[in-house]
């Protein structure tokens, strides 16, 4: 009898623990069932990388601008090479005709209307050279106005004068191409420097914590003003 009583007394705490576990499981199940379904909680925002993300975006835009500026510089280099080749060709032509006119022409009495024919030849030849961009509009106007041009010269002499004018025009075009290439180079270098700076700022911002975010924003405002930020070209 005593052994049965002791077995019953020792089994009471175990039964109590089992009932408590069951009640706890029921409470958890009820709480889970009461929660609304179909709701996805938003992921926490990484506050530390917001400033770095802004810099990365600006750097991406600056990369596009730098690529366009470099392409413009390469095109300007090509224009310099082409304009120099055109000048050399014009210079060779002018020297060749100059050698041909080194000997004086025989003087003779001109026929009636010959001066008119020479003037027409000069105007026609100058117009054709302007059409092929070997002469400028200003030079063509000087030809028709006879400013610095003698329409009564022999056609061979007129051709020599025209080729000298072509050489001068081509040299001016070459000088303009050189200036444009230098400007394009400066623009490409400025865009590349802006890109390098933004990438360095973005890399540094990735290493800094939230405590330094306000300082980074101040540095960004001081170094990258709206005029310096990459703009869509």
């Amino acid at each position: 009898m005593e052994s049965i009583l002791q077995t019953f007394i020792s089994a009471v705490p175990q039964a109590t623990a089992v009932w408590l576990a069951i009640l706890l499981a029921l409470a958890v199940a009820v709480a889970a069932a009461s929660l609304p379904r179909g709701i996805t909680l938003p992921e926490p925002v990484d506050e530390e990388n917001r400033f770095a993300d802004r810099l990365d975006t600006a750097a991406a835009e600056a990369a596009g601008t730098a690529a366009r500026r470099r392409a413009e510089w390469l095109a300007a280099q090509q224009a310099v090479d082409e304009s120099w080749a055109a000048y050399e060709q014009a210079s060779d032509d002018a020297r060749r005709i100059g050698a041909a006119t080194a000997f004086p022409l025989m003087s003779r009495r001109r026929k009636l209307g010959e001066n008119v024919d020479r003037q027409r030849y000069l105007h026609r030849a100058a117009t054709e050279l302007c059409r092929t961009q070997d002469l400028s509009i200003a030079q063509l106007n000087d030809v028709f106005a006879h400013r610095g041009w003698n329409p009564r010269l022999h056609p061979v002499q007129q051709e020599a004068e025209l080729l000298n004018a072509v050489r001068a025009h081509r040299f001016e075009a070459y000088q303009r191409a050189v200036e444009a290439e230098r400007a394009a180079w400066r623009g490409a270098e400025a865009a590349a420097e802006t890109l390098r700076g933004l990438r360095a700022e973005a890399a540094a911002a990735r290493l800094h914590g939230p405590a330094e975010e306000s300082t980074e924003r101040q540095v960004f405002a001081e170094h990258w003003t709206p005029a310096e930020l990459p703009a869509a070209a």
Side-chain angles (χ1 to χ4, degrees):
M1 184 67 180
E2 290 181 2
S3 62
I4 295 174
L5 182 60
Q6 290 177 355
T7 301
F8 176 77
I9 293 173
S10 61
V12 170
Q14 295 178 359
T16 303
V18 171
W19 278 106
L20 289 176
I22 293 173
L23 291 176
L24 181 60
L26 289 174
V28 171
V30 172
S34 63
L35 290 176
R37 297 181 180 181
I39 298 178
T40 303
L41 297 178
E43 296 182 358
V45 180
D46 189 358
E47 297 290 342
E48 297 183 12
N49 293 331
R50 281 184 174 179
F51 180 68
D53 291 340
R54 289 177 54 198
L55 287 171
D56 285 337
T57 302
E61 296 177 358
T65 300
R68 287 190 295 273
R69 296 292 181 265
R70 179 170 177 80
E72 292 171 359
W73 172 59
L74 293 176
Q77 277 189 318
Q78 182 67 24
V80 168
D81 294 338
E82 292 176 354
S83 61
W84 176 253
Y87 166 71
E88 284 190 324
Q89 181 62 47
S91 183
D92 291 341
D93 294 341
R95 282 196 298 267
R96 185 170 56 255
I97 193 65
T101 57
F103 301 97
L105 298 175
M106 294 181 60
S107 177
R108 61 177 179 80
R109 188 177 183 86
R110 297 177 185 175
K111 298 178 181 180
L112 184 64
E114 186 174 354
N115 287 337
V116 176
D117 292 338
R118 291 183 176 186
Q119 178 176 306
R120 288 175 179 173
Y121 169 81
L122 174 63
H123 293 175
R124 185 170 60 252
T127 302
E128 180 61 22
L129 289 173
C130 184
R131 188 186 66 81
T132 58
Q133 299 183 355
D134 288 312
L135 285 181
S136 66
I137 296 295
Q139 287 175 310
L140 181 62
N141 291 335
D142 289 339
V143 170
F144 276 87
H146 302 158
R147 288 190 295 265
W149 292 86
N150 184 3
R152 297 183 178 183
L153 291 178
H154 191 276
V156 175
Q157 294 174 314
Q158 289 179 350
E159 185 178 1
E161 294 295 327
L162 285 169
L163 291 180
N164 286 332
V166 170
R167 177 171 56 185
H169 172 64
R170 288 302 183 182
F171 185 69
E172 291 178 359
Y174 166 72
Q175 290 179 314
R176 290 192 300 269
V178 169
E179 291 299 323
E181 186 272 338
R182 291 174 180 173
W185 167 254
R186 290 191 294 268
E189 280 294 291
E193 181 63 26
T194 299
L195 176 59
R196 287 191 292 267
L198 286 171
R199 284 176 174 174
E201 290 285 345
R206 295 291 180 187
L207 301 177
H208 296 167
E212 300 184 14
E213 183 176 356
S214 60
T215 303
E216 291 171 348
R217 288 180 177 177
Q218 182 178 0
V219 172
F220 180 84
E222 292 175 355
H223 288 81
W224 309 110
T225 61
E228 296 172 331
L229 286 176

